Amino acid sequence: MLFASDLDNTLLFSVSHRQAGDRCVEWLDGNEQGFMTPETVSLLETVQGLTRLIPVTTRSVAQYLRIRFPVTPDYAVAANGAVLLHHGQPDEEWAAETQSLLLPWLKELERMESVIPQRLPGRRLRRIDGAYLFLSCPNPEDAAYCRSCLTDTTLSVQTTGRKLYLFPAPINKGAAVARLRRRFGSSGVIGAGDSPIDVSMLRECDWAIAPKDALVEGMERDRVAVWDGQGRFPDFVLQQAAAFARAGQ
């Protein structure tokens, strides 16, 4: 059984949410960046004994590789589905399929890469692992404004907080889970995520874990677990993943 899980704010979190006893698992330029709870550290080994944990993240490959997991997963999906890593190295077969999927979208990516700096000066724009565009905004209000200025593209424009993304249609977490199913021939997939970018993944899974009902709307109620706000969400995610895995065996 596969467990496809988002990372940021699902299994790990930034320094602004750090509490006493939390474990640093990510550093950037020598500074502590990402943390896990003590319970998450403990539960990861249990969950990895019950499932094949595959992180599915919008992070770039370089950003993903900064994380020092207590038990490092063999596989991970980075760049919102564009890259499959195996022991930290890109999988060539997955990469070839991604390039084929991206081919019809390259001109639009290039066009928006040229348009955005002219239309929205002063923001930091990057193409992530060749697959999608990322715009860093000073605050969520500015991200919403930027999104309203980018209605003339066939790319999917999404925001989370102060971050804005422009994804080609095939580059989404749901499509990535479908590709993982084909790759591993899984008997079932558990999914966990916390943002609208994770919705396609959650709906592609057989069981889903989320912090709010809106992210799992329309799914069978006995196959979803929605956090009640008690305790800490990463711990809830792994507790529920273990419960779903045992129930599905």
Side-chain angles (χ1 to χ4, degrees), residues 111-155:
R111 184 181 79 85
M112 295 307 294
E113 209 166 16
S114 174
V115 164
I116 289 172
Q118 301 172 29
R119 194 176 297 176
L120 298 166
R123 284 82 168 182
R124 187 174 59 141
L125 176 69
R126 289 183 291 151
R127 192 186 295 202
I128 303 300
D129 295 326
Y132 70 85
L133 301 179
F134 170 75
L135 191 68
S136 180
C137 303
N139 52 60
E141 292 74 24
D142 187 68
Y145 166 75
C146 291
R147 182 174 183 171
S148 73
C149 295
L150 301 174
T151 58
D152 60 337
T153 179
T154 54
L155 301 173

Side-chain angles (χ1 to χ4, degrees), residues 3-4 36 40 44 48 53 55 76 82 102 106 120 123 143 145 161 167 172 190 201 203-204 212 221 233:
F3 175 33
M36 289 182 178
T40 292
L44 270 172
Q48 287 177 290
L53 168 61
L102 278 174
L106 293 180
L120 298 166
R123 284 82 168 182
Y145 166 75
F167 298 119
N172 66 80
I190 303 164
M201 173 174 70
R203 291 180 177 172
E204 184 66 31
K212 49 191 175 183
R221 299 309 300 176
F233 182 59

Side-chain angles (χ1 to χ4, degrees), residues 202-215:
L202 296 174
R203 291 180 177 172
E204 184 66 31
C205 293
D206 302 292
W207 299 271
I209 307 162
K212 49 191 175 183
D213 284 308
L215 298 178

Side-chain angles (χ1 to χ4, degrees), residues 150-212:
L150 301 174
T151 58
D152 60 337
T153 179
T154 54
L155 301 173
S156 173
V157 184
Q158 300 187 44
T159 59
T160 59
R162 64 181 186 84
K163 300 174 182 178
L164 184 144
Y165 305 86
L166 293 92
F167 298 119
I171 304 304
N172 66 80
K173 292 186 178 185
V177 168
R179 292 170 72 180
L180 290 172
R181 281 187 191 272
R182 294 193 296 270
R183 168 64 65 94
F184 294 106
S186 173
S187 60
V189 183
I190 303 164
D194 72 294
S195 81
I197 291 175
D198 299 316
V199 168
S200 64
M201 173 174 70
L202 296 174
R203 291 180 177 172
E204 184 66 31
C205 293
D206 302 292
W207 299 271
I209 307 162
K212 49 191 175 183

